[in-house]
Amino acid sequence: VDSEEDLLEYRRRLDGSEWPVEMQIQHETIESIYTHDPNGYMIEVTRAMRPVTPQEDLDANLTIDALIDMIQNLRPSYEERR
């Protein structure tokens, strides 16, 4: 969402519904609220607290690349026991 006011409005509306906010967390660059939809899927509504720096953007991309590389190179655990 675009602003703190928008995020708080989502929270107000969710808290008055069957799906109240379960968590509200301020991360380093974003603030998020979390709930579950009627099917049990977690939903995150987020607002930016400040612009992301180029270094933070690079770090996030490197982290994702490392995770993908790790997952692609994992062998199933049953193969490791042979």
Side-chain angles (χ1 to χ4, degrees), residues 5 14 16-18 24 26 30 38 41-42 45 47 51 54-55 58 65-66 72 74 77 80:
E5 293 77 23
L14 287 166
S17 76
E18 296 178 43
Q24 183 166 351
Q26 284 190 352
I30 61 173
Y41 293 100
M42 182 168 272
V45 180
R47 75 169 180 103
Q55 184 61 42
L58 174 62
D65 289 347
Q72 288 176 339
L74 284 179
S77 58
E80 293 177 12

Side-chain angles (χ1 to χ4, degrees), residues 10-22 34-40:
Y10 270 94
R11 179 169 190 135
R12 184 190 68 73
R13 293 174 65 186
L14 287 166
D15 284 343
S17 76
E18 296 178 43
W19 304 280
V21 170
E22 299 169 27
Y34 300 87
T35 190
H36 284 86
D37 75 6
N39 295 315

Side-chain angles (χ1 to χ4, degrees), residues 13-69:
R13 293 174 65 186
L14 287 166
D15 284 343
S17 76
E18 296 178 43
W19 304 280
V21 170
E22 299 169 27
M23 294 182 286
Q24 183 166 351
I25 300 174
Q26 284 190 352
H27 304 281
E28 190 172 331
T29 61
I30 61 173
E31 181 175 18
S32 301
I33 57 174
Y34 300 87
T35 190
H36 284 86
D37 75 6
N39 295 315
Y41 293 100
M42 182 168 272
I43 296 173
E44 177 183 18
V45 180
T46 301
R47 75 169 180 103
M49 295 174 59
R50 63 173 175 79
V52 174
T53 67
Q55 184 61 42
E56 290 168 329
D57 187 48
L58 174 62
D59 183 56
N61 283 312
L62 290 172
T63 300
I64 291 169
D65 289 347
L67 177 61
I68 290 170
D69 186 55

